[in-house]
Amino acid sequence: MDLPRYHRLRSAYYRLEGQRCASCDTLQFPARARCGSCGGNAFEDHRLSGRGTVYSYTEMTQAPAGFPPPYLMALVRLEEGVLLAAQLTDIDAHEVEIGMPVEMVTRRLREHGPRGFLVYGYKFRPLLGRRLVS
Amino acid sequence: MRSREPVGIAGYGAYVPRYRASTASISATWRPAGAAAAAVGEISVAGHDEDVVTMAIEAARTAVDRSAVDPATIGAVWVGTESKPYAVKPSATLVAEALGITPGVVAADMEFACKAGSEAMQAAVAFVGAGMVDATLAIGMDTAQSKPGDALEYTAGCGGAAFLFTPAEASLATVEASVSHVTDTADFFRREGASYPEHGGRFTGEPSYFEHTLAASRRLLAELGAEPGDFAHAVFHQPVPKFVLRAATALGFSHEQIGAGLLAPRMGNAYAGSSLLGLAAVFDVAKPGDRIFFCSYGSGAGSDAFSFRVTDRITARRQGPAVTDYLDRRREIVDYGHYLRLRGKIRRA
Amino acid sequence: MRDVFIIGAGQTPVGEHWDLGLRELGATAVRAALDDARVESVDALYVGNMLSGCVNGQENLATLLADAADLLPAEAWKIEAACASGGAAVRAAALAVAAGAHDVVVAVGIEKMTDAVTGSVSAGLASAADQDYEASHGFTFVGLSALMMRRYMHEHDRSRDEFAPFALTAHRNAAGNENAMFRKPISEEEYRESPAVASPIGVLDAAPICDGAAAVVVCTKEAIQSGQEPLRIAASAAATDTMALGARGDILELGSAAVSSSRCFEASGLGPSDMDLFEAHDAFTIITALSLEACGYAGRGEALRLAAKGCVAPGGCIPISTSGGLKARGHPVGASGTYQIVDAALQLRGRAGPNQLQKARRALTQSIGGHGSVAVTHIIEA
C-alpha cells in the first residue's frame, strides 16, 4: 500500500467512519456514492460502534507479501447490521467461535520493512469490558 | 506549582497488552543455573500488531468515553514515550486522528525517559489551568526496550495510561498541586540510532531514582503542608518492586498505601507508562474524598510529583475495562524465541 | 445476433513452465487452436488474463501475443475479470462474431504465475478482492473462500471431510488428461490430512498456482469450412455481484453464478438436467459446492449430499471437472475459463481419451472470479 492511498482511507481505517443516508437512515460502510437501500445520494458521516459478533473466520497460514502468517481473518456482523471483513487479534485460533462478541481496536495492519511507513487500521478482538463510542 | 484556575482529571484509561513472558524463560537463556530469581515474575509484552500508538489510542478512547467530555473540546494531545514507532513523525497526531479531533488541536510527543508521561500531565494542567483549552489528553505509554540478556530485559514491560484533564468542576479527581525536580544525571540513556538503552547499573539507584523521587515527593508534601498519612494511596515509578517499597518507606508511606498502584510484580516496568498506569489502577478502586500521592521518575533525570483529591464523580467514571481486566487476560509466552519475535528483537534483514 | 461456433481448440500443458514466458505459452496455444481449426489467420485476438500487469510487469499483453503468434495486424485486446478472465475472453469473442463485427476470432486465456515468488503472486491474486477493504487487511481469495466454507459448514452442519468427493473426482479425472498438472489420484485420507492453507481450506481443497494457456477459435455459421468439427455456443452470459463478500445478502449464494447460468438456460431453452457435463469453477471445494447450488443442481446446502451420492463423478447425473478441473488440471487463473471450454470441446467431440463420457452432447462451463463477484457461463453443444 502506498502512502497517498492510506491517507485517503484514514477515517475509515482509524474510526470505522461510514455514512448514514439522509433520506432513509441506512448505514453504509464503507461509504458509497449511492444509498444501497433507497438510491439516495445525500449522506452524513457516521461512525460505527465497532461492536459485533464473529460471523465466520479463518486462520491464514499462507499469506500475501507483507502479512506474516499465521493470522486470523473474520467476517464480523456489527451491531448496526453491517458485515465487515477484518483481522481478529489478541486471540488464538482455537479460541474463536462463530457468534462470539468482539470489538474494534486500532492496530498495525502492515509494516513496509524496518525503514518503511506503518499502516494502522481496524481489527477486532474479544470484547473486553463495556465500551462506549468515541 | 498550582494552576491559576483549578484543574482536574475528567476521564482515565489504561492499557496493558495481552502477552506475558515469564522471566524464568529469559533466565533459562541467559543466566547460569542457580542464579537468583528475577525481581519480577513476568513482564507484559505487546503483540506483533501493537506499538505505542495503538496502545495510546485504546487508553485515550477509554479516557474520553469515561469523561463525559465532548471530544471536540479536546485542545491538546501529548504522548509521552521512549518507544516511538517513528523516530521522526509524531505519535500524537495519529492518536488525535483516531479520536476524530483533528485538526484544531495541539499535538506532540514528549520525551523524558520514564517521566515523559508525567511531563505531559504537567503541560496538560498548565494548558487547562491557563484557560487556553477546555480539555487536554496526557498519555504515558511504552513498549519498553531492553538489550537481550541485559538486566533490564527481566523487567521491561509494555503498557501505560491516558488522562483527560479539564477544569476541576467536571473532574473525577482534582489536582491539588504538583512539583518537578530535575537535574542532569545520565543514569540511563539511548543514543540516536541505537536499538536498546544503556544504564549505569547501581548508579541508577541512589543518586538517580531515590535522589529525585524523594526530593520531589518531600517538596510536594512541604508545599501542601501534608503528611504521608493524609493520603489513601501513593503511586511511584516502578523500575522494580523493591525500589518502590524502599522509596515509600523512606518517605513514610505504608505498604497498604502503595498496594493498589504497584503493578510491577505482575507486568514489569512500562517505562513512561509505569507510574501513570499505577495511577489508573488507583482510580479503579479509590473512594470519593481520597487523596492520592503520585511521583514519577525519569532517567536523565527528574521526578514529577502530584497530589490528587478524588471527587464523587469517580464511581460513575469507571465503565469499560479496569486495569485488572487487562492484567487478568494474560496469555503466557513460554519460549524466549517467541518473546524475541514479538518484541522485534530478531534481526531479519 | 448471429449463431457462433467453436471450430478450433488448443492448449499447452498446465504446470510450472520455468523455461516458457507469456509469449511462448500464448503463441503455442493460439497456433494450436488455429491448426485445430485449420485456419491461418483471424480477424481478432481476445486475451483473457488476470495478472500480467502485477506479476509479469507486462501490459499491452494482447499485442505481445498477436505479435508472437504471427497474427498482426489483427485487432487484439486483453480482457480482465479476475479468475473469470478466460471465460470472459471467449464471451468477448463470441459477442464480436454474433454482433457481426468479425467473422473469425481467437480467444486465448493465459497466465504465467511462476514468474514471481509466491508472496507476490498471492498479493496479485488478492487484488481481485476489494483492495481498500479486503486485500489491504491481509485477505486473499483463499481466505475469503475459507470464510464461506466455515460459514457453510456452520449453517448446514457439515464437516470438511464431506467436501472430499470434489477433490477426489478432480484428481481421478486429471490422471487421464495428459495436459493436467496433477496426474495422480488422491485418497480420502490424503484429503483429510492435507495441511491447512486458510482453515478450514486445506491444500487439497485448493487449486494450485501454475502456468498455462488455452485457446478457442470461434466463427459464424457461414465461415465454417469442411473438415472442421464445429460446436455451437448455445448460450453465453456474464453477471456480477458485490466486490465485498460482507455486502452480499447471503455469502453462501453465488449470485453471479446463479444469474449467469439462468440467463444461459433461458436463452437456450435448456435446463440443468439437459447438460451432460459441468466444467465448474472448482478453485476451492466450497466454490464447487456453491456453484452446483447456484446452477440448479442442488438446493441450498444440498451439494455435498449430491456429491456423496456419486453424482459428480463420470457416469453420475452431472459429471464435473471431467479433465481434472481447476483443482487437478491446474488453475492458471486467467486461463482457466478457456481451459474449461477447451476440455468441454474435447468431450463434445468425443476426443477426451480415457476421460471420455459415454454421452456428451451438451456442456455447461462456468468461470468465476473474485470469490463470486463475477461469473461467465457458457452452454456448448455438439
Side-chain angles (χ1 to χ4, degrees), chain C residues 97 143 151 182:
Chain C
V97 170
R151 188 71 199 178
F182 298 130

Side-chain angles (χ1 to χ4, degrees), chain A residues 64-116:
Chain A
F67 294 90
Y71 54 95
L72 288 157
M73 306 258 14
L75 276 175
V76 173
R77 175 75 76 191
L78 295 175
E79 277 177 356
E80 294 89 342
V82 173
L83 195 57
L84 184 65
Q87 282 196 36
L88 297 178
T89 189
D90 286 0
I91 187 165
D92 297 342
H94 69 270
E95 300 170 310
V96 188
E97 278 175 25
I98 288 177
M100 76 184 294
V102 290
E103 63 186 335
M104 185 272 262
V105 289
T106 307
R107 293 292 172 93
R108 279 190 188 183
L109 289 182
R110 174 157 197 195
E111 180 182 14
H112 292 80
R115 302 173 70 89

